[in-house]
Amino acid sequence: MTLRNRWRKTLSYMMLSLTGVCAVLAVAVLFLILGYLFYNGWRSLDWDFLTKLPKPPGERGGGMANAIVGSLQIIFLATLIGLPVGFMAGVYLSEFGGKTFAFLIRYMADLLNGVPSIVIGIFAWTVVVVPLHHFSALAGGLALSLILIPVTARSTEQFLNSVPQTLREGALALGASKWRTIATVVVPAAYRGIATGMILGVARIAGETAPLLFTSLNNQFWSTGFDQPTASLPVMVFTHAIAPYDDWHRQAWAAGLVLLLGVLVANIAARLILSRGISVQR
Amino acid sequence: MKRTNVWVGAFAALMILLAVAEAKVLVNAAGATFPYPIYGKWFDEFTKVDRDAQINYQSIGSGGGIRQFTEGTVDFGASDMPMTNEQISRTKYKPLHFPTVLGGLVPTYNISGVTQDLKFTPETLAGIYLGKIKKWNDPELKKSNPGVNFPDAEILVVHRSDGSGTTFVWTDYLSKVSPEWKKSVGANTSVSWPVGLGAKGNEGVAGLVKQSPNSIGYVELIYALQTKLPYGFVRNSSGTFLKADLASVTDAAAGAAKAMPADFRVSITNAPGKNAYPIVSFTWLLIPSKIEDAAKKKAIVTFLHWMLTDGQKYAASLGYAPLPKEVVGKEEKQISLIQ
Amino acid sequence: MATSSVLAAPSPTGARAFLKRLRSGDEVARLITLAFATSILLVTVGLLYELWIGSALARQRFGFGFLTSSAWDPVSERFGALPFIYGTVVTSAVALIIAVPLGLGAAIFLAELAPPRVSSTFTFFIELLAAVPSVIYGLLAIFTLVPLMRTVVEPFLSRTLGFLPIFKGAFYGVGYLTGGVILAIMTLPFIISISREALLEVPTEQREAALALGATRWESTWQVVVPYARLGIFGSIFLALARALGETMAVTMVIGNDPSIRASLFAPGYTIAAIIANEFTEATGEIYLDALVGLGLVLFLLTIVINAVARLLIIATTRRGSTNP
């Protein structure tokens, strides 16, 4: 073998090993991050954290029960608004859309998808907080729903598109009207994918912090009703992480763990649902 | 599927329950981080006193307190800087300023190898924050602190990144003692800092100083105490080096108490007096002169009375000085101005 | 999608025809879903509109000078966007410089070399990284990355490469470099995942042809496969860039919050998203608030442009891939 060929072979071996190193590094980062969070969060999590209200700054103890429930309140509102709107929009794009208008909607949805969440927060502030003169779970939920709608719309459309046309034609041939076909044949066929898309969307907004900073603000107490400032886990993690109190740091880890567990469980569940259903090209 | 239905049902029930639950009167307030430890304590204690009222206080900085008060998104605000006439002109209902406690601002630091309490002159503080004094072993610092082994390290200056009354007090003091500062930077809740890193809230500044070697920041006394950070002596206008404590802070307010203006807007930095700590400020609650919701008004008025009597007892243990008696008397009268 | 119309004869008035069509459930369904879809359009337009009028005062006072001025002085009410644009661009650039080689390398490994089981397991975990909320990255960054940078990485860089202007000066742990590193970690999963898919789309004939011509495995990958998939790879990079530009929480916690323009990567800086997060609730003064909304508008426009380019690239590559026999 000539020298040049030997060099080419060595180079090939080196570079390919290097790519392996890259892959291992990438996954290693993940494990380090999650591992560190789990370790610290696990040590910090206690029963008080899950059941008690926060204490005044500087005092040890207390918990973030109101933040956990508050997050659920805000996410509930966001999904209430966001999922139906997104789903319906996705149905339109896939089943009814003409060429130009659907293209426009799709483009806008992708645009909204890329908008930084802090800008959405500004929008929710001007549209909900200022007119109502209130920080509220409603404003926070609306801001998050604005993130959820385009995500849900596009994923719903994608999975509906993947349903074979023959299914639709068969139903129509049997005399069903179009909307019946969609409701009873197409949507159930794509059900798994649509549900996955929804779960992933909700998991994503569950972790959003920036839009909540000036819409739902925060609260020391339970929030009764959706028109009050509401505590939420991501905001708590933020405020406690940058504070100087060691006990607040401990609680930030615990809150981070709870938040991450929620998000990861949703993600893994969604992927499992999908993998057992129709395999759809991304 | 049935199991998920049960979960969904329970969840929805919880939401509905929360929505219609017996609502206590929830009063929303936001503002200064300077008094946050004591306000947090007060509102926590007050809930036990008046079981129907909950006052939710968010420490977002004095700038935030003023702004949210003006927008009407909170029921009352809190600020370490009195509102200017221009700011007051933009509010719907004129704000009534209620001083709550007195606090001292301390220069807190984290220098490797230095455990002693350092002495700072007004010139050194201005010099550090102007970026003129760049290293810890600068001759000016050595002059005021003979015998201290300063490292040959750059000073990491920490200031506030958010709109802060604490910043106002600090820059107000620097403007009074350093003509150069007054000319190039000025005093406000948010300024154009010549050097340094920004942190959010008193909490953020203390947090950053604690984590960063060779740093200096300005915080309200309680934040240095609670985080066990060292803080220095500051030389006052009479030439005495003083540490902020109950006595020196109270002393600074002594003169102001007698000459308190009717609307309580006053600055007491660099106060005269041999034992007066130079960087002291009142901190105010901004209460609208007209509160439309009767239940909220009752809660707020009850709280103000409580604050001026029982509340003052918590001040000392948290490193704040209680209000002078003359001031309390005048404030009691101002409460009746709330419609 | 022709709507069903039972009668052949046209109706006299438009309104009558409309009402007749309404009787069919299909038309109702179409209108309902159309209404929901239009809401997306309304929200996007509304967003742009609110950002535009919300920044009116600042735009009137500063005009285009807003984009080039580097002042940020609430006391004298002079505001400029340049330090934040600079910080946003610098941190994103650092993030890409770190994440692209790393991500591309990992993607190549997963697409070309790894056995399918290993590849999908690794990909599964990496995609989980993408789901981690930003504030959690920030939490980890404050307590692990910042001390690491301050005690190990930055001193090392300062000692070895300190003659370069980007590594000069004091280091604090927080600053442009740390912001860039955390952004790199956050954008890595996107680059890996999308590049891997782009690489998988390359037909095997391409690889085989290269190998048949005597190329080594690496040469086949680097000189044939990767260029074939380059549009998708570029698309992934642009998407990662768009994400990095808008990233708020993690960066706010490690950037140092200093609105100035410095050459050294060790220096503290500020990004558009970070200053909005820090100062929005407290901007006292109309011009101040409008300046912040103006920054939001700048960021919005930036991400629109980047996203548009990314989408075009990804569309182009999938079209290319599917037209090959």
Side-chain angles (χ1 to χ4, degrees), chain B residues 6-17:
Chain B
V6 171
W7 276 108
V8 171
F11 183 71
L14 178 64
M15 290 295 120
I16 296 173
L17 215 66

Side-chain angles (χ1 to χ4, degrees), chain C residues 119-187:
Chain C
S119 177
S120 30
T121 322
F122 265 48
T123 313
F124 177 74
F125 283 119
I126 286 173
E127 287 177 355
L128 282 185
L129 253 186
V132 174
S134 166
V135 71
I136 302 230
Y137 278 112
L139 174 65
L140 284 157
I142 289 186
F143 295 116
T144 55
L145 186 62
V146 169
L148 187 71
M149 296 297 284
R150 190 182 57 235
T151 52
V152 175
V153 179
E154 287 179 352
F156 173 72
L157 286 171
S158 180
R159 272 200 310 269
T160 53
L161 297 172
F163 55 90
L164 293 171
I166 54 171
F167 292 129
K168 270 202 158 72
F171 42 84
Y172 315 104
V174 293
Y176 294 114
L177 187 62
T178 317
V181 169
I182 195 73
L183 279 180
I185 299 177
M186 294 172 78
T187 53

Side-chain angles (χ1 to χ4, degrees), chain A residues 232-248:
Chain A
S232 55
L233 276 177
V235 173
M236 282 289 197
V237 171
F238 178 59
T239 51
H240 281 55
I242 61 176
Y245 312 111
D246 287 326
D247 200 56
W248 276 30

Side-chain angles (χ1 to χ4, degrees), chain B residues 99 102 249-262 264 266-268 271 282 322-330:
Chain B
L102 286 156
V249 169
T250 315
D251 205 277
K258 308 234 165 32
M260 181 66 77
F264 296 99
V266 68
S267 155
I268 50 176
F282 283 105
L323 299 167
K325 293 232 170 0
E326 306 92 332
V327 177
V328 171
K330 290 187 186 165

Side-chain angles (χ1 to χ4, degrees), chain A residues 201-226:
Chain A
V202 172
R204 171 168 161 196
I205 62 167
E208 288 284 350
T209 322
L212 296 181
L213 288 176
F214 28 86
T215 47
S216 58
L217 203 68
N218 207 346
N219 201 332
Q220 322 289 76
F221 306 102
W222 301 102
S223 311
T224 54
F226 293 115

